[in-house]
Amino acid sequence: MCSELTTDVLIVGGGPTGLMAANELLRQGIDFQIIEKRTKPSQQSRALAIQPRTLETLDQMGLVDRFIKQGFPSPGAKLHFEGTPLAKIEWSHLQTHFPYLMVLPQSKTETILENHLVEQGGSVKRKWEFSHLSIRDGYVHVTAIDPNQREKTMIARYLLACDGAHSPVRKDLNIPFSGEGENTTFFLGDVQVNGLDSTYINVFLTERGLAAFFPFKEEHYRVITVDFSKQHFPHQDALSLVELQESVDRIIPHQFELTDPQWLTQFGTAHRQVPSYRYGPVFFLGDAAHIHNPAGGQGMNLGIQDAANLTWKLALVLSGKGHPDILDTFHTERHPIAEATLKGTSRALKALTIKPPWTKVRNWLGRSVLTSQTMQDKILNQISNLAVHYRSTPHAEKGLDPLISSSALCAGDRVPDLIFLNNNHSTIRLFELLRKPRFLCLYYMEELNASHLSEVMDTIHTLESHFKDQLSSFIISKGGTRKLFKDLPAMLFDVHGEVPSKLGMKMGHLLVIRPDGYVAFHLSSWKSEPALEKINLWLKEQATV
């Protein structure tokens, strides 16, 4: 006998991507179910790096402090070529409140996300395994096996496939996963390293391979090697400490002793991607949508950002406040980001594993590039995901205002965190305002006066009457007559002068920020007519994009 469960969104897979999606849907007030065949969160570290942009996203959720408390903030990386220090790459130059790489095992990331989900009233259906699905009348009908080995039918408006590189959902739908293997075998171990005491990531490149050391908080290191003498053999998961030690010694002879292994494995890599992230009511996120090698520590971050991008759009549609075609922007925004990551990580792996006689050329070019601060900043902004933007997508281009300076933030750009004083003269950050899952409307004037305030209030009243609880409005000013702002609760003071310099806003501008922290649009006028038109672009007229 097969019983039925109904929900708005069914998430298949309880890894970091699925748990992020569940938390965001819960924050948006959307009914969901999440199923996971494992009995508990991952006990292996797997993904390790949390990039600055992901930390910003977690900050907007109010969760970042939990990750910082349990993680290890690595300030940068040291690269060594043939035993000679080549370059020290510093994250501190990044323009963010989190200018470091947070090293945290995936097991802890999953635990933090699941604990928060439970605290907020959600849960993961563990020991539930996806079997197959069908799509009928616009709904997804999923057959799953529950912990008692009984078949259950789950019916959902939408399904999020967050079920990993070997996605059963993707296979059941016969979705292509295009790409190829990279024919590289990696050895991996979480171990103590005697002879190395560094807060930096250390990468050693020699004619015999590469060895990388990532510091954990608990005095262990993640050690990864690509040993040229161990390539082109069938690899398996099993790896001994002796084999890893021999590999390290071959690459950098007799410098470090490895002890106390917590986890040992070996693996190969490939770069693959689904052609479309949306198939009707089914969406692919994280490793189910894209896989690549571990260069740059991107994988888990891509999945978490996929979830942050999609969930607020689902919430708009399911609440009847957004046009269903807004969901197509998940593919148009996120597919190119992963595609570029696949290409970038493939190029990086080829450069890192180049063999003699070309290693000397690689070392010379690497020294030239990585000792340039300008080039370091460019590379790190890409790796940190701070440079990710959606401005080239059709809907973002349609939202551009030709009167806005090209140096100002425009539709699709990431919004940096800013510090304000509120009307009570208390410090408040922009990311704190984004913790309410809605659009954020910022109106900027250098100094309050009665005439400008009347115009702004007219627009605020117009927008709020049309969109009600879908947006929050704030007037930003350097100052003004106290009698004008004393009764305005939504007042922010730009005491650091960051709004013109970091957002590019000028007198009379209106900036609307999406719930995921990217610009919806930036207007040169705060009058209500153009603002209504642009908000409708996101909420009601996506079919015209």
CSV table of all heavy atoms in Angstrom, one decimal, residues 181-228:
chain,number,residue,atom,x,y,z
A,181,GLY,N,36.2,13.1,-18.1
A,181,GLY,CA,37.2,12.9,-17.0
A,181,GLY,C,38.5,13.6,-17.2
A,181,GLY,O,38.8,13.9,-18.3
A,182,GLU,N,39.2,13.8,-16.1
A,182,GLU,CA,40.5,14.6,-16.2
A,182,GLU,C,41.7,13.7,-16.1
A,182,GLU,O,42.8,14.2,-16.1
A,182,GLU,CB,40.5,15.7,-15.2
A,182,GLU,CG,39.5,16.8,-15.5
A,182,GLU,CD,39.4,17.9,-14.5
A,182,GLU,OE1,39.3,17.6,-13.3
A,182,GLU,OE2,39.4,19.1,-14.9
A,183,ASN,N,41.5,12.4,-15.9
A,183,ASN,CA,42.6,11.4,-15.8
A,183,ASN,C,43.6,11.8,-14.8
A,183,ASN,O,44.8,11.7,-15.0
A,183,ASN,CB,43.2,11.2,-17.2
A,183,ASN,CG,42.2,10.7,-18.2
A,183,ASN,OD1,41.5,9.8,-17.9
A,183,ASN,ND2,42.2,11.3,-19.4
A,184,THR,N,43.2,12.3,-13.6
A,184,THR,CA,44.1,12.7,-12.6
A,184,THR,C,43.7,12.0,-11.3
A,184,THR,O,42.5,12.1,-10.9
A,184,THR,CB,44.1,14.2,-12.3
A,184,THR,OG1,44.5,14.9,-13.6
A,184,THR,CG2,45.1,14.6,-11.2
A,185,THR,N,44.6,11.3,-10.6
A,185,THR,CA,44.3,10.7,-9.3
A,185,THR,C,44.9,11.5,-8.2
A,185,THR,O,46.0,11.9,-8.2
A,185,THR,CB,44.9,9.3,-9.3
A,185,THR,OG1,44.3,8.5,-10.3
A,185,THR,CG2,44.7,8.6,-7.9
A,186,PHE,N,44.0,11.8,-7.2
A,186,PHE,CA,44.3,12.6,-6.1
A,186,PHE,C,44.4,11.7,-4.9
A,186,PHE,O,43.5,10.8,-4.7
A,186,PHE,CB,43.3,13.7,-5.8
A,186,PHE,CG,43.2,14.8,-6.8
A,186,PHE,CD1,42.6,14.6,-8.0
A,186,PHE,CD2,43.8,16.0,-6.5
A,186,PHE,CE1,42.5,15.6,-8.9
A,186,PHE,CE2,43.7,17.1,-7.4
A,186,PHE,CZ,43.0,16.9,-8.6
A,187,PHE,N,45.4,11.8,-4.0
A,187,PHE,CA,45.4,11.2,-2.7
A,187,PHE,C,45.0,12.3,-1.7
A,187,PHE,O,45.4,13.4,-1.8
A,187,PHE,CB,46.9,10.7,-2.3
A,187,PHE,CG,47.3,9.5,-3.1
A,187,PHE,CD1,46.5,8.9,-4.0
A,187,PHE,CD2,48.5,8.9,-2.8
A,187,PHE,CE1,46.9,7.7,-4.7
A,187,PHE,CE2,49.0,7.8,-3.5
A,187,PHE,CZ,48.1,7.2,-4.4
A,188,LEU,N,44.3,11.9,-0.7
A,188,LEU,CA,43.7,12.8,0.3
A,188,LEU,C,43.8,12.2,1.7
A,188,LEU,O,43.5,11.0,1.9
A,188,LEU,CB,42.3,13.2,0.0
A,188,LEU,CG,41.6,14.2,0.9
A,188,LEU,CD1,40.5,14.9,0.1
A,188,LEU,CD2,40.9,13.5,2.1
A,189,GLY,N,44.2,13.0,2.6
A,189,GLY,CA,44.2,12.5,4.0
A,189,GLY,C,44.0,13.7,5.0
A,189,GLY,O,44.6,14.8,4.8
A,190,ASP,N,43.3,13.5,6.0
A,190,ASP,CA,43.1,14.5,7.1
A,190,ASP,C,44.0,13.9,8.2
A,190,ASP,O,43.7,12.9,8.9
A,190,ASP,CB,41.7,14.6,7.6
A,190,ASP,CG,40.8,15.3,6.5
A,190,ASP,OD1,41.4,15.9,5.6
A,190,ASP,OD2,39.6,15.2,6.6
A,191,VAL,N,45.2,14.6,8.4
A,191,VAL,CA,46.2,14.0,9.3
A,191,VAL,C,46.9,15.1,10.1
A,191,VAL,O,46.7,16.3,9.8
A,191,VAL,CB,47.3,13.3,8.5
A,191,VAL,CG1,46.7,12.1,7.8
A,191,VAL,CG2,47.9,14.2,7.5
A,192,GLN,N,47.7,14.8,11.1
A,192,GLN,CA,48.6,15.7,11.7
A,192,GLN,C,49.9,15.7,10.9
A,192,GLN,O,50.3,14.7,10.3
A,192,GLN,CB,48.9,15.3,13.1
A,192,GLN,CG,47.7,15.6,14.1
A,192,GLN,CD,48.1,15.6,15.5
A,192,GLN,OE1,49.2,15.3,15.9
A,192,GLN,NE2,47.1,15.8,16.4
A,193,VAL,N,50.5,16.9,10.8
A,193,VAL,CA,51.7,17.0,10.0
A,193,VAL,C,52.8,17.5,10.9
A,193,VAL,O,52.9,18.7,11.2
A,193,VAL,CB,51.5,18.0,8.8
A,193,VAL,CG1,52.8,18.1,8.0
A,193,VAL,CG2,50.3,17.5,7.9
A,194,ASN,N,53.8,16.7,11.2
A,194,ASN,CA,54.9,17.1,12.0
A,194,ASN,C,55.9,17.8,11.1
A,194,ASN,O,56.3,17.3,10.1
A,194,ASN,CB,55.6,15.9,12.7
A,194,ASN,CG,54.6,15.2,13.7
A,194,ASN,OD1,53.8,15.9,14.3
A,194,ASN,ND2,54.7,13.9,13.8
A,195,GLY,N,56.4,19.0,11.5
A,195,GLY,CA,57.3,19.7,10.7
A,195,GLY,C,56.7,20.9,10.0
A,195,GLY,O,57.3,21.7,9.3
A,196,LEU,N,55.3,21.0,10.1
A,196,LEU,CA,54.6,22.2,9.5
A,196,LEU,C,53.7,22.8,10.6
A,196,LEU,O,52.9,22.1,11.2
A,196,LEU,CB,53.8,21.7,8.3
A,196,LEU,CG,53.0,22.8,7.6
A,196,LEU,CD1,54.0,23.8,6.9
A,196,LEU,CD2,52.1,22.1,6.5
A,197,ASP,N,53.9,24.1,10.8
A,197,ASP,CA,53.1,24.8,11.7
A,197,ASP,C,52.8,26.2,11.1
A,197,ASP,O,53.5,27.1,11.2
A,197,ASP,CB,53.8,25.0,13.0
A,197,ASP,CG,52.9,25.7,14.1
A,197,ASP,OD1,51.7,25.8,13.8
A,197,ASP,OD2,53.5,26.1,15.1
A,198,SER,N,51.6,26.2,10.3
A,198,SER,CA,51.3,27.4,9.6
A,198,SER,C,49.8,27.6,9.5
A,198,SER,O,49.0,26.7,9.4
A,198,SER,CB,51.9,27.2,8.1
A,198,SER,OG,51.5,28.3,7.3
A,199,THR,N,49.4,28.9,9.6
A,199,THR,CA,48.0,29.2,9.5
A,199,THR,C,47.7,29.4,8.0
A,199,THR,O,46.5,29.5,7.6
A,199,THR,CB,47.7,30.5,10.2
A,199,THR,OG1,48.5,31.6,9.7
A,199,THR,CG2,48.0,30.4,11.7
A,200,TYR,N,48.7,29.4,7.1
A,200,TYR,CA,48.5,29.6,5.7
A,200,TYR,C,48.3,28.2,5.0
A,200,TYR,O,48.8,27.2,5.5
A,200,TYR,CB,49.7,30.2,5.0
A,200,TYR,CG,49.7,31.7,5.3
A,200,TYR,CD1,50.2,32.2,6.5
A,200,TYR,CD2,49.4,32.6,4.3
A,200,TYR,CE1,50.3,33.6,6.7
A,200,TYR,CE2,49.4,34.0,4.5
A,200,TYR,CZ,49.9,34.5,5.7
A,200,TYR,OH,49.9,35.8,5.9
A,201,ILE,N,47.6,28.2,3.9
A,201,ILE,CA,47.6,27.0,3.0
A,201,ILE,C,48.9,27.0,2.4
A,201,ILE,O,49.4,28.0,1.9
A,201,ILE,CB,46.4,27.2,2.0
A,201,ILE,CG1,45.1,27.2,2.7
A,201,ILE,CG2,46.5,26.0,1.0
A,201,ILE,CD1,44.0,27.7,1.8
A,202,ASN,N,49.6,25.8,2.4
A,202,ASN,CA,50.9,25.7,1.7
A,202,ASN,C,50.8,24.7,0.6
A,202,ASN,O,50.3,23.6,0.7
A,202,ASN,CB,51.9,25.2,2.7
A,202,ASN,CG,52.5,26.3,3.6
A,202,ASN,OD1,53.5,26.9,3.3
A,202,ASN,ND2,51.8,26.6,4.7
A,203,VAL,N,51.2,25.2,-0.6
A,203,VAL,CA,51.2,24.4,-1.8
A,203,VAL,C,52.6,24.2,-2.4
A,203,VAL,O,53.3,25.2,-2.6
A,203,VAL,CB,50.2,25.0,-2.9
A,203,VAL,CG1,50.2,24.1,-4.1
A,203,VAL,CG2,48.8,25.2,-2.3
A,204,PHE,N,53.0,23.0,-2.6
A,204,PHE,CA,54.3,22.7,-3.1
A,204,PHE,C,54.2,22.1,-4.5
A,204,PHE,O,53.5,21.1,-4.7
A,204,PHE,CB,55.1,21.7,-2.1
A,204,PHE,CG,55.3,22.2,-0.8
A,204,PHE,CD1,54.3,22.1,0.2
A,204,PHE,CD2,56.5,22.8,-0.4
A,204,PHE,CE1,54.5,22.6,1.5
A,204,PHE,CE2,56.8,23.3,0.9
A,204,PHE,CZ,55.8,23.2,1.8
A,205,LEU,N,54.9,22.7,-5.4
A,205,LEU,CA,54.8,22.3,-6.8
A,205,LEU,C,56.3,21.9,-7.2
A,205,LEU,O,57.2,22.7,-7.1
A,205,LEU,CB,54.3,23.4,-7.7
A,205,LEU,CG,52.9,23.9,-7.4
A,205,LEU,CD1,52.6,25.2,-8.2
A,205,LEU,CD2,51.9,22.9,-7.7
A,206,THR,N,56.4,20.6,-7.7
A,206,THR,CA,57.7,20.2,-8.1
A,206,THR,C,57.6,19.4,-9.4
A,206,THR,O,56.5,19.2,-9.9
A,206,THR,CB,58.4,19.3,-7.0
A,206,THR,OG1,57.8,18.0,-7.1
A,206,THR,CG2,58.2,19.9,-5.6
A,207,GLU,N,58.7,18.9,-9.9
A,207,GLU,CA,58.7,18.1,-11.1
A,207,GLU,C,58.1,16.8,-10.9
A,207,GLU,O,57.8,16.0,-11.8
A,207,GLU,CB,60.1,18.0,-11.7
A,207,GLU,CG,60.7,19.3,-12.2
A,207,GLU,CD,62.1,19.1,-12.8
A,207,GLU,OE1,62.6,18.0,-12.7
A,207,GLU,OE2,62.6,20.0,-13.5
A,208,ARG,N,57.8,16.4,-9.6
A,208,ARG,CA,57.3,15.1,-9.3
A,208,ARG,C,55.8,15.1,-8.9
A,208,ARG,O,55.2,14.1,-8.7
A,208,ARG,CB,58.1,14.5,-8.1
A,208,ARG,CG,59.6,14.3,-8.5
A,208,ARG,CD,60.4,14.0,-7.3
A,208,ARG,NE,60.5,15.1,-6.4
A,208,ARG,CZ,61.2,16.2,-6.6
A,208,ARG,NH1,62.0,16.3,-7.6
A,208,ARG,NH2,61.2,17.2,-5.7
A,209,GLY,N,55.2,16.4,-8.9
A,209,GLY,CA,53.8,16.5,-8.6
A,209,GLY,C,53.5,17.7,-7.7
A,209,GLY,O,54.3,18.6,-7.7
A,210,LEU,N,52.4,17.6,-7.0
A,210,LEU,CA,52.0,18.7,-6.1
A,210,LEU,C,51.5,18.1,-4.8
A,210,LEU,O,51.0,17.0,-4.7
A,210,LEU,CB,50.9,19.6,-6.7
A,210,LEU,CG,49.5,19.2,-6.8
A,210,LEU,CD1,48.7,19.5,-5.5
A,210,LEU,CD2,48.8,19.9,-7.9
A,211,ALA,N,51.8,18.9,-3.7
A,211,ALA,CA,51.3,18.6,-2.4
A,211,ALA,C,50.7,19.8,-1.8
A,211,ALA,O,51.4,20.9,-1.7
A,211,ALA,CB,52.4,17.9,-1.5
A,212,ALA,N,49.5,19.8,-1.3
A,212,ALA,CA,48.9,20.9,-0.7
A,212,ALA,C,48.4,20.6,0.8
A,212,ALA,O,48.0,19.5,1.0
A,212,ALA,CB,47.6,21.4,-1.5
A,213,PHE,N,48.6,21.6,1.7
A,213,PHE,CA,48.3,21.4,3.1
A,213,PHE,C,47.4,22.5,3.6
A,213,PHE,O,47.7,23.7,3.5
A,213,PHE,CB,49.6,21.4,3.9
A,213,PHE,CG,50.6,20.4,3.5
A,213,PHE,CD1,51.4,20.5,2.4
A,213,PHE,CD2,50.8,19.2,4.3
A,213,PHE,CE1,52.4,19.5,2.1
A,213,PHE,CE2,51.7,18.3,4.0
A,213,PHE,CZ,52.5,18.4,2.9
A,214,PHE,N,46.2,22.1,4.0
A,214,PHE,CA,45.2,23.0,4.5
A,214,PHE,C,45.0,22.9,6.0
A,214,PHE,O,44.6,21.8,6.4
A,214,PHE,CB,43.8,22.7,3.8
A,214,PHE,CG,43.8,22.9,2.3
A,214,PHE,CD1,44.3,21.9,1.5
A,214,PHE,CD2,43.3,24.1,1.7
A,214,PHE,CE1,44.3,22.0,0.1
A,214,PHE,CE2,43.4,24.2,0.3
A,214,PHE,CZ,43.9,23.2,-0.5
A,215,PRO,N,45.2,23.9,6.8
A,215,PRO,CA,45.1,23.8,8.2
A,215,PRO,C,43.7,23.8,8.7
A,215,PRO,O,42.9,24.6,8.3
A,215,PRO,CB,45.9,25.1,8.7
A,215,PRO,CG,45.7,26.1,7.6
A,215,PRO,CD,45.6,25.3,6.3
A,216,PHE,N,43.4,22.8,9.6
A,216,PHE,CA,42.1,22.7,10.3
A,216,PHE,C,42.3,23.4,11.6
A,216,PHE,O,43.4,23.8,12.1
A,216,PHE,CB,41.8,21.3,10.6
A,216,PHE,CG,41.2,20.5,9.5
A,216,PHE,CD1,41.3,20.9,8.2
A,216,PHE,CD2,40.6,19.3,9.7
A,216,PHE,CE1,40.9,20.2,7.1
A,216,PHE,CE2,40.1,18.5,8.7
A,216,PHE,CZ,40.2,18.9,7.4
A,217,LYS,N,41.2,23.6,12.3
A,217,LYS,CA,41.2,24.2,13.6
A,217,LYS,C,41.8,23.2,14.7
A,217,LYS,O,42.5,23.7,15.6
A,217,LYS,CB,39.7,24.6,14.1
A,217,LYS,CG,39.7,25.4,15.3
A,217,LYS,CD,38.2,25.8,15.6
A,217,LYS,CE,38.1,26.7,16.8
A,217,LYS,NZ,36.8,27.1,17.1
A,218,GLU,N,41.5,21.9,14.5
A,218,GLU,CA,41.9,21.0,15.5
A,218,GLU,C,43.3,20.4,15.3
A,218,GLU,O,43.6,19.2,15.4
A,218,GLU,CB,40.9,19.8,15.6
A,218,GLU,CG,39.6,20.2,16.1
A,218,GLU,CD,38.7,20.7,15.0
A,218,GLU,OE1,39.1,20.8,13.8
A,218,GLU,OE2,37.5,21.1,15.3
A,219,GLU,N,44.3,21.2,14.8
A,219,GLU,CA,45.7,20.8,14.7
A,219,GLU,C,45.9,19.8,13.6
A,219,GLU,O,47.0,19.2,13.5
A,219,GLU,CB,46.3,20.3,16.0
A,219,GLU,CG,46.3,21.4,17.1
A,219,GLU,CD,46.9,20.9,18.4
A,219,GLU,OE1,47.3,19.7,18.4
A,219,GLU,OE2,47.0,21.7,19.3
A,220,HIS,N,44.9,19.5,12.8
A,220,HIS,CA,45.1,18.6,11.7
A,220,HIS,C,45.2,19.4,10.4
A,220,HIS,O,44.9,20.6,10.4
A,220,HIS,CB,43.9,17.6,11.6
A,220,HIS,CG,44.0,16.4,12.5
A,220,HIS,ND1,43.9,16.6,13.9
A,220,HIS,CD2,44.3,15.1,12.3
A,220,HIS,CE1,44.0,15.4,14.4
A,220,HIS,NE2,44.3,14.5,13.5
A,221,TYR,N,45.6,18.7,9.4
A,221,TYR,CA,45.7,19.3,8.0
A,221,TYR,C,45.0,18.4,7.1
A,221,TYR,O,45.0,17.2,7.2
A,221,TYR,CB,47.2,19.5,7.6
A,221,TYR,CG,48.0,20.6,8.2
A,221,TYR,CD1,48.5,20.4,9.5
A,221,TYR,CD2,48.1,21.8,7.6
A,221,TYR,CE1,49.3,21.4,10.1
A,221,TYR,CE2,48.9,22.8,8.2
A,221,TYR,CZ,49.4,22.6,9.4
A,221,TYR,OH,50.2,23.6,10.0
A,222,ARG,N,44.4,19.0,6.1
A,222,ARG,CA,43.9,18.3,4.9
A,222,ARG,C,45.1,18.3,3.9
A,222,ARG,O,45.6,19.3,3.5
A,222,ARG,CB,42.8,19.0,4.2
A,222,ARG,CG,42.5,18.6,2.8
A,222,ARG,CD,42.0,17.2,2.6
A,222,ARG,NE,40.8,16.9,3.4
A,222,ARG,CZ,39.6,17.2,3.1
A,222,ARG,NH1,39.3,17.9,1.9
A,222,ARG,NH2,38.6,16.9,3.9
A,223,VAL,N,45.6,17.1,3.7
A,223,VAL,CA,46.8,16.9,2.7
A,223,VAL,C,46.3,16.3,1.4
A,223,VAL,O,45.6,15.3,1.4
A,223,VAL,CB,47.9,16.0,3.4
A,223,VAL,CG1,49.0,15.8,2.4
A,223,VAL,CG2,48.4,16.6,4.7
A,224,ILE,N,46.6,17.0,0.3
A,224,ILE,CA,46.2,16.5,-1.0
A,224,ILE,C,47.4,16.4,-1.9
A,224,ILE,O,48.2,17.4,-1.9
A,224,ILE,CB,45.1,17.4,-1.7
A,224,ILE,CG1,43.8,17.5,-0.8
A,224,ILE,CG2,44.8,17.0,-3.1
A,224,ILE,CD1,42.8,18.4,-1.4
A,225,THR,N,47.6,15.3,-2.5
A,225,THR,CA,48.7,15.2,-3.4
A,225,THR,C,48.3,14.7,-4.8
A,225,THR,O,47.3,14.0,-4.9
A,225,THR,CB,49.8,14.1,-2.9
A,225,THR,OG1,49.2,12.8,-2.9
A,225,THR,CG2,50.3,14.5,-1.5
A,226,VAL,N,49.0,15.2,-5.8
A,226,VAL,CA,48.9,14.6,-7.2
A,226,VAL,C,50.3,14.1,-7.5
A,226,VAL,O,51.2,14.9,-7.7
A,226,VAL,CB,48.5,15.6,-8.2
A,226,VAL,CG1,48.5,15.0,-9.6
A,226,VAL,CG2,47.1,16.1,-7.9
A,227,ASP,N,50.5,12.8,-7.3
A,227,ASP,CA,51.8,12.2,-7.5
A,227,ASP,C,52.0,11.7,-8.9
A,227,ASP,O,51.2,10.8,-9.3
A,227,ASP,CB,51.9,11.0,-6.5
A,227,ASP,CG,53.3,10.4,-6.4
A,227,ASP,OD1,54.1,10.5,-7.4
A,227,ASP,OD2,53.6,9.7,-5.4
A,228,PHE,N,52.9,12.2,-9.7
A,228,PHE,CA,53.0,11.9,-11.1
A,228,PHE,C,53.3,10.4,-11.3
A,228,PHE,O,53.0,9.8,-12.3
A,228,PHE,CB,54.1,12.7,-11.8
A,228,PHE,CG,53.7,14.2,-11.9
A,228,PHE,CD1,54.7,15.1,-12.2
A,228,PHE,CD2,52.4,14.6,-11.8
A,228,PHE,CE1,54.4,16.4,-12.3
A,228,PHE,CE2,52.0,15.9,-12.0
A,228,PHE,CZ,53.0,16.9,-12.2
